[in-house]
Each structure stands twice: as C-alpha cells, then as structure tokens.
Amino acid sequence: IDETNRFLINQDPKSAYKFLTDNRIKFIFLGKNDTMLQTGFKPDEKPYLLLVYNQGNTLIYKVKEYQ
C-alpha cells in the first residue's frame, strides 16, 4: 500500500513508470469518481499513460513505453 500511495503522489515520471513496470502493471482501471482521482491523481497528465477506453463511468489507461 505504501508503494501505491507513493506512486499516486509521485511527480517524477521516470520513477512512477518504473513502479508500474517493476510491478508488471499494464493497465489502470478507474471509475469516474475513483478515489485515486479524488486524491489528485491525474492520469491524463502522465506521459506514460494512454487513455484506451472511456465509456460510461469507466476509464482504462494503458501503460505505454516511456524513457
């Protein structure tokens, strides 16, 4: 949980991307009112995430290559 919390507040894209790849996370699934979004996580501003699905209350972001 601590690692996940650090990821959510992380402002450094390289270390955030490393967290995702180290944990083999390929997609992030969110609801429009998800707690992650309410705590300030802004996936649209992350250069390593690509919105691949936006239907109803569901958002899915794919982790893309980032260097």
Side-chain angles (χ1 to χ4, degrees):
I1 292 177
D2 288 338
E3 285 184 48
T4 303
N5 289 337
R6 281 192 294 276
F7 163 75
L8 292 175
I9 62 171
N10 195 333
Q11 298 298 315
D12 176 40
K14 288 185 180 184
S15 62
Y17 178 74
K18 182 176 182 337
F19 168 81
L20 294 172
T21 56
D22 286 354
N23 289 285
R24 298 181 178 164
I25 297 170
K26 300 200 183 288
F27 292 92
I28 296 178
F29 294 76
L30 300 169
K32 298 256 178 159
N33 296 316
D34 199 286
T35 303
M36 288 174 60
L37 299 174
Q38 293 174 1
T39 58
F41 181 67
K42 297 179 178 148
D44 290 328
E45 296 177 7
K46 307 298 181 188
Y48 48 82
L49 293 178
L50 175 66
L51 181 64
V52 294
Y53 184 84
N54 182 358
Q55 194 74 21
N57 289 324
T58 305
L59 302 165
I60 302 175
Y61 289 86
K62 181 178 181 177
V63 177
K64 62 181 186 175
E65 289 292 321
Y66 178 75
Q67 296 198 24

